[in-house]
Structures are given as structure tokens and as C-alpha cells.
Amino acid sequence: MDAEEHQWRLSQDPEWADVTPIPQDDGPNPVVPIAYKPDFIETMDYFRAVYKANEFSPRALQLTHQAILLNPGNYTVWHFRRLILDALGIDLNEELNFMSGISERNPKNYQIWHHRRWIAEKLGTDAASKELEFTRRMFSLDAKNYHAWSHRQWVLQALGGWENELDYCHQLLEEDVFNNSAWNQRYFVVTRSPLLGGLEATRESEVKYTIEAILGNPGNESPWRYLRGLYKNDPKSWISDPQVSSVCLKVLSAEANHVFALSTLLDLLSHGFQANQEFRDAVDSLRPSNSDPADSDLAKTICSILRHVDPMRVNYWTWRKSKLPSPVSV
Amino acid sequence: MGELVVDKHVKYILSVEKRKDSFESVVLEHLRMNGAYWGLATLDLLGKLDALDSNEVIEWIMKCQHESGGFAGNIGHDPHMLYTLSAVQVLALFDKLNVLDADKVANCHPFLGLLNFMPDISGLQNEDGSFSGDEWGEVDSRFSYLAICCLSILHRLDKINVEKAVNYIASCKNVDGGFGCTPGGESHAGQIFCCVGALAITGSLHHVDKDLLGWWLCERQVKSGGLNGRPEKLPDVCYSWWVLSSLIMIDRVHWINKDKLAKFILNCQDTENGGISDRPEDAVDVYHTYFGIAGLSLLEYPGLKAIDPAHALPVDVVDRIFFQK
């Protein structure tokens, strides 16, 4: 019997002779009639029979395997499989092995991830390292798999295993510094890990790390947002920390994508940051020759430049400009 | 710019049922209820809902309802909130919500049987205010939306603790202004739609930092004019819906370039056989056809019915439900 090849013929198998298959009822005139393949029809007909009879047996377990290979998205099958696993007291480590191949072939299937969580929950803290390793493998196929990230965050919070998580984030960012999922995970770790002491305790080293990433790729949206996140609920430090304004200045003075440096500087100015002449000169040098004349208000000049260099979002930058306080007439 | 090939799309939707033995049909069998919603909502937006016999559809839908009140993705499958909302939405399209016992759907009882203590929507609310999709406990802000939207259409929001549900959604908010599937989960346009939609329906949009989220959402527009769902991901027609509807609900839709987006969607049409794909030149499917046309409707493309961004139903249907118009 080779379940992978879908060669199983239940109707000819003496082991199944006592079961009467139950056919699919699509109603007399289905709206969207479906022509199923014969092996799919047979498997599901027998599945319905064992499901209806609540048959918790090794052969029923094998049948769910077959049905899952044919359609891993059917959660009734998965649910029934869990009931059988429970009833038969199957070693759940075996079940995790069974899952691995299926997960790699169906990385975005909700049921598979849910099933894994069910198993891991039952196995408890022993499963933590296995699950972290498994998600690692999934990320080697797709480092932004939303389900896998969701699973990994759950594992960390429910079962533990935080020790190497920051290093792991670093490793993923080394591979692809544009990976927003890895930046998000980094934020998850610095804000939630019981081992690191929270945002304030990690801020200094994190700011340094982030600034390096920004200088490497100034057009990368993720570290800019991460940098801002490091000062959550503390806008005063964000405005007064010279590291923040100076990274803007460095990017503005370099041959690079300036959009995020300009928008960050705009945010700083809107929150009361006082820019010196160096900032004014750097911004001024970016003014396209055919743009509006330089405004004495630095923030307005920035908005004008952004309107020009980011035309897709011209309405947003126009709105930002309109929100700036008008100069007080003397 | 190419035009919307309305007749071809209608033909495509109607032809999906005739396609035999396709990979899609086997894989989608269990979520046929979602397929019915995507296809029928598309027809309605195109003004062609009458191309199908509503009685047949309704008869099939009601066969998918379980004792407990919840709906399955197809006859003989288990109920799930995902399908319950689609079933309720399709019945709403046909103005047939009256065939439902709204209390039964909103408040159904665990049904007898050794295995199946089946879902009732309001019974799925967890202690922290979040919702699980079924009795097996998948927790996700998506399900908060499904439950809130469904109960709202049924006029049964009083069945749940709205305040708790709203607080859970608010806890999924990130520093970039977006929302994830659980607290700390990465911001994702699909999850943002769910959270903003649920907050809009419950009158709780004050939990959204509109300017910050609006900027994050309009950053999703890439050079081709299409929208992606997360930074550095490829554009996909389905985000025309998730991003655009969220921007409309927070009143920031003018921050994106609408013309370029419309052009991107129209470029994803199969102008010969109908249907819309995720990106230009890819294979079409019902899911992307729906989101493409719904996106164009949000962009006020001429000839399309207007769609309500929170309930994902045509505005005339929503008016009928909430204003008896």
C-alpha cells in the first residue's frame, strides 16, 4: 500500500469489507458541482462512514492519513484524527514526525499549524526546542511565512525557549535585512522576552544595531519603523537622542534613498526637535531644481521634497505639509 | 488603460461550476461556501446576480447548516465561523436572511453526540475577549472580525461582550500602527482589514492611530501601482481589497494613487476568458476575481455597485439590513 501514490483501493481491501461507504451529498442540483477524482471519492466515502460511527481504530487513523494527503485543508479530517490519537494513546512525537513532510508541502495551511499546536500543547515544554527547530526549517523555505511566525511566537510564550531568539533574529537579518517578519520578531523579543529586561534595558544596544542596518540600506522601511518603536511611550528620548537625528543627517548627506530619513526628520521636527544649520544645508541640497523655492520652515521644505521624490504618495505628503503649524507672524 | 470586461467576468464566474476534475475543485471542495460568496458577490457587484437561480443556492446553503446553527463549507462537513459568515453574507445578497433563525445561529447550542460540541458564534469568545474559529481553539483577530461582522448582519451583537472583543483587537495593535493576528504578531494588511473592520462595525475606531496606519497602508503601494500586504512583499490583487477597504474605513484612501491601482487590477484581467489573477499574466481564480472587482468598486469604477468596506457586501444590501431601505 502506498498512500503517497493514492493507489489504495479500499473497496477491494478485506480489512474494510465490514464498512459501508457513505457517498457525498451535494444535493440534487449543486450550484458549483464538483467532479472529484475516484480515489478522492472513495477515501472520503469511507471517511464519512468511520467518522459517523466514531470508529477510533488504527485503520481509521490510517484512513485520515490518506484523506489528509489527498486534501490537507479539510479540518474535519484533522479533528477526527486528533480524537483517534487521543483515544488510542498514540505517541505524539511520532505524530510530529508524520507532520513534518506534510507541513513542508503545505506551508500555508491553517489546519496543519493548528494540529501542530495541539500536539505541542500536549507534549508541553519538551516540545519547545523541537518546535523552534521546525519553524526554523520552515523559514529556510520562506522566511516570512505568517503561520510559522505565529506558531513560533506561541511556542516561545507558552513553552519557552527564548535563550537564543535574539541571535536567531540577527541571523535572519544577516540573510535578508529587508525581512520585516524578522524585525517584527526582534521587537517581539525585546519587548516580551523574560530574559532581556524589556525595551529600556535593551534600547542602547538595539539603537546601535538598528542604525547600522539603516546606514547599510537607508531605503529599508523596517529598521526605520523599528527605531521609532524602540522609543515607544517615550517620545522625549526619541527627540533628544542625538543618535536618531544624526542617522537622519548621515543618510541625507549620502547618495541614497532619502524618503525615510526625510520622513523621520519631519516627525522629529513635528514633535519639537530643533534642527541646526547642518540639517538645513543637508535638506537644502536635496531640493530638486524645479521645486518650490526653499521655505524658511524646514519641515515645509521637507514635505516639498517628499512630494517630489515620492510621487506615489504625493497626497500624503501634501497633507503632512498642510498639518504643519503656520509661521507666527511678527 | 484596458477596460473592465464585465461580460467575460460574468461568464467566467458562471463557468467555474462546469470545470471538471480540476485541481482547484478538489482542494476547494471543503470551502465551497467561501467560493459561493466570492462568486455571487462578484456577480452582484457587476449587477448580474440574477444570472443564477437563487432558490437552488439557498437550498444548498441551508443544507450546510448544522443542528447547532453554524454553517459548514459544504454539505457533510463541519461548521466553522469562516463558512457561517459566508453563508450569512450570501443569504443577505439574495435578501433571504429571513430563512435563518438568527438566534439559532448567534446562540446555538452544543449539539449532542460524542464528538461534536459544535460552535455557536457567541459561545466561542475566550476569556481575554478574543474569538476562536471553532471549538478547537484557533485564536486569531480574524475570527474576531468574522464573529462581529456575522452577528452585526444578524442584529445580534448583544450576544457577545463587545467591549472585551474590542480590547482584544486593540491589544493586537503594533508600533507601526498596523495589527497582527495575535498580540505581537507582524502587521499584515489582511489582519488589519479584520481588526479595522471589527472596530468600525462596533464604533470603536478611536483605537486606531489613523494617520500612522494610513501611512503604513499607503506605503504598501509599489511602483507597478499594485499593493502588497507587508513590506518587501510582491503586490497582489487581493490586497486591493484588504488595504483599500481599511484606508476607506479610516478615511485616508486619497493617500494612495488610485489611478495606478485601478490600472494594475485591470492589467490582471484575462481579457479573453474572464477572471482576474493575483498579478499580471498569472492564472485567474474566483478569489482574485472577487477581490479585484471589489477593489475597483471601492475605487468607484464606473458601472459597478458600491461595496461597504466593513461588511464586504454591496451598499444596497447593507442599507437593506440596517436601514430597511
Side-chain angles (χ1 to χ4, degrees):
Chain A
M1 181 185 75
D2 186 349
E4 296 275 1
E5 295 289 316
H6 304 172
Q7 294 295 323
W8 209 13
R9 285 287 165 263
L10 295 164
S11 51
Q12 286 148 37
D13 188 337
E15 201 204 327
W16 287 91
D18 59 310
V19 176
T20 310
I22 302 175
Q24 166 89 17
D25 177 8
D26 278 346
N29 296 301
V31 196
V32 191
I34 292 160
Y36 307 104
K37 290 184 177 167
D39 52 350
F40 183 81
I41 294 173
E42 183 178 66
T43 304
M44 290 314 291
D45 289 355
Y46 278 85
F47 173 78
R48 270 176 224 106
V50 293
Y51 180 62
K52 199 172 177 203
N54 291 331
E55 181 184 314
F56 305 134
S57 65
R59 72 173 181 184
L61 187 68
Q62 178 57 39
L63 185 64
T64 59
H65 180 167
Q66 172 79 0
I68 284 166
L69 290 178
L70 287 165
N71 177 11
N74 185 324
Y75 67 85
T76 303
V77 176
W78 283 107
H79 172 56
F80 191 56
R81 185 172 177 88
R82 285 191 279 278
L83 295 170
I84 301 173
L85 291 168
D86 253 352
L88 299 184
I90 303 281
D91 176 6
L92 292 177
N93 287 301
E94 289 291 309
E95 185 67 2
L96 280 182
N97 296 336
F98 159 75
M99 292 296 293
S100 292
I102 296 177
S103 313
E104 278 163 34
R105 283 194 298 276
N106 303 277
K108 297 200 171 169
N109 173 302
Y110 273 93
Q111 279 74 41
I112 288 173
W113 290 104
H114 184 56
H115 193 68
R116 278 205 85 93
R117 183 184 296 197
W118 179 83
I119 300 166
E121 214 159 19
K122 294 222 160 208
L123 290 173
T125 49
D126 294 349
S129 60
K130 221 174 184 168
E131 289 310 286
L132 293 176
E133 182 48 42
F134 172 74
T135 45
R136 221 176 231 266
R137 227 165 46 237
M138 296 303 286
F139 295 136
S140 68
L141 304 172
D142 171 9
K144 299 175 185 177
N145 182 325
Y146 203 83
H147 301 274
W149 278 116
S150 186
H151 187 68
R152 192 173 179 97
Q153 293 193 342
W154 174 81
V155 170
L156 289 167
Q157 288 185 310
L159 310 176
W162 293 94
E163 296 76 14
N164 303 315
E165 197 60 10
L166 203 59
D167 289 341
Y168 180 53
C169 294
H170 171 62
Q171 188 192 319
L172 286 175
L173 291 172
E174 288 266 276
E175 287 163 22
D176 175 14
V177 75
F178 290 89
N179 182 349
N180 191 61
S181 306
W183 283 106
N184 184 72
Q185 183 71 355
R186 197 171 180 99
Y187 198 73
F188 181 80
V189 177
V190 298
T191 51
R192 291 170 199 256
S193 166
L195 311 175
L196 296 177
L199 264 186
E200 276 182 35
T202 49
R203 188 184 290 156
E204 203 184 315
S205 56
E206 285 305 294
V207 168
K208 197 167 160 273
Y209 183 88
T210 310
I211 283 176
E212 226 168 88
I214 288 174
L215 292 174
N217 291 281
N220 186 359
E221 173 178 352
S222 305
W224 285 105
R225 293 194 193 274
Y226 185 82
L227 183 64
R228 180 72 210 262
L230 292 174
Y231 298 88
K232 193 192 177 200
N233 302 329
D234 190 3
K236 264 193 184 153
S237 305
W238 177 63
I239 299 158
S240 60
D241 191 335
Q243 298 181 91
V244 178
S245 48
S246 79
V247 71
C248 295
L249 188 61
K250 274 186 194 158
V251 172
L252 293 179
S253 315
E255 289 288 323
N257 178 332
H258 302 120
V259 170
F260 293 103
L262 285 169
S263 73
T264 303
L265 183 55
L266 179 62
D267 287 342
L268 286 171
L269 291 166
S270 312
H271 283 82
F273 173 72
Q274 299 293 324
N276 60 25
Q277 194 57 39
E278 225 182 328
F279 283 89
R280 292 177 181 280
D281 293 344
V283 170
D284 219 39
S285 70
L286 296 173
R287 230 160 36 80
S289 48
N290 57 344
S291 74
D292 313 339
D295 202 296
S296 57
D297 184 340
L298 183 61
K300 284 196 174 153
T301 308
I302 291 175
C303 290
S304 302
I305 297 171
L306 281 165
R307 280 171 46 92
H308 199 84
V309 298
D310 188 21
M312 193 74 92
R313 279 159 281 276
V314 63
N315 291 340
Y316 172 70
W317 300 118
T318 304
W319 172 81
R320 286 295 300 261
K321 193 172 182 179
S322 74
K323 291 273 287 183
L324 295 170
S326 332
V328 189
S329 46
V330 196
Chain B
M1 175 160 63
E3 303 224 321
L4 186 68
V5 291
V6 172
D7 294 341
K8 297 257 169 79
H9 294 316
V10 172
K11 217 181 251 174
Y12 167 73
I13 297 286
L14 297 174
S15 77
V16 169
E17 63 182 281
K18 297 191 182 73
R19 218 158 286 176
K20 300 291 179 196
D21 212 18
S22 68
F23 170 76
E24 207 182 16
S25 64
V26 173
V27 172
L28 295 181
E29 183 245 1
H30 64 285
L31 46 80
R32 211 161 130 209
M33 190 63 79
N34 297 146
Y37 162 68
W38 296 325
L40 294 167
T42 304
L43 287 180
D44 199 12
L45 292 174
L46 294 169
K48 293 283 161 47
L49 191 59
D50 53 7
L52 271 179
D53 180 350
S54 64
N55 290 327
E56 272 181 24
V57 180
I58 291 157
E59 195 186 322
W60 168 73
I61 288 178
M62 295 314 287
K63 278 197 165 187
C64 296
Q65 190 178 25
H66 277 239
E67 282 292 302
S68 62
F71 286 82
N74 204 343
I75 297 168
H77 288 247
D78 282 352
H80 192 287
M81 210 135 77
L82 278 167
Y83 312 124
T84 304
L85 175 60
S86 281
V88 168
Q89 283 170 319
V90 173
L91 290 172
L93 287 176
F94 286 118
D95 196 11
K96 287 286 187 218
L97 284 171
N98 58 340
V99 305
L100 277 182
D101 179 345
D103 284 316
K104 189 177 171 186
V105 180
N107 202 23
C108 54
H109 297 291
F111 90 85
L112 300 173
L114 185 67
L115 322 170
N116 302 313
F117 40 106
M118 281 303 146
D120 69 81
I121 292 176
S122 44
L124 292 170
Q125 194 167 21
N126 301 322
E127 267 301 295
D128 64 359
S130 64
F131 283 87
S132 306
D134 54 52
E135 81 276 30
W136 312 308
E138 298 170 89
V139 178
D140 190 322
S141 54
R142 263 188 340 146
F143 299 127
S144 303
Y145 169 76
L146 294 170
I148 285 171
C149 185
C150 193
L151 291 171
S152 151
I153 294 172
L154 296 170
H155 303 291
R156 292 296 184 281
L157 272 175
D158 59 327
K159 299 281 185 187
I160 56 164
N161 186 333
V162 171
E163 193 190 340
K164 257 185 158 181
V166 165
N167 288 340
Y168 179 74
I169 294 169
S171 76
C172 295
K173 184 163 76 173
N174 290 319
V175 283
D176 56 20
F179 292 82
C181 62
T182 46
E186 185 185 3
S187 294
H188 180 292
Q191 301 288 343
I192 291 170
F193 161 79
C194 291
C195 293
V196 174
L199 293 174
I201 290 170
T202 54
S204 312
L205 283 173
H206 56 276
H207 286 286
V208 181
D209 184 338
K210 294 177 186 166
D211 295 336
L212 186 61
L213 175 61
W215 182 47
W216 190 91
L217 287 168
C218 73
E219 277 292 328
R220 306 283 54 81
Q221 190 163 30
V222 300
K223 280 208 179 79
S224 63
L227 299 163
N228 61 22
R230 289 183 270 166
E232 297 297 326
K233 299 277 283 184
L234 291 173
D236 182 319
V237 157
C238 72
Y239 293 112
S240 310
W241 170 262
W242 309 119
V243 173
L244 215 47
S245 57
S246 304
L247 279 168
I248 289 176
M249 288 187 275
I250 62 170
D251 200 17
R252 300 290 184 276
V253 73
H254 52 288
W255 286 357
I256 65 155
N257 188 321
K258 293 187 189 181
D259 290 340
K260 284 201 163 177
L261 176 59
K263 199 171 170 188
F264 176 82
I265 299 172
L266 291 169
N267 279 339
C268 293
Q269 297 181 102
D270 179 338
T271 48
E272 241 168 72
N273 302 309
I276 297 176
S277 56
D278 56 352
R279 281 181 280 283
E281 312 302 330
D282 281 357
V284 303
D285 58 60
V286 183
Y287 173 86
H288 287 96
T289 305
Y290 165 65
F291 286 112
I293 287 175
L296 288 171
S297 161
L298 292 175
L299 292 168
E300 300 173 59
Y301 191 89
L304 294 177
K305 272 197 186 182
I307 187 165
D308 179 88
H311 292 91
L313 285 169
V315 168
D316 60 338
V317 174
V318 171
D319 283 349
R320 200 159 62 206
I321 296 168
F322 296 106
F323 307 107
Q324 286 87 42
K325 263 180 88 176

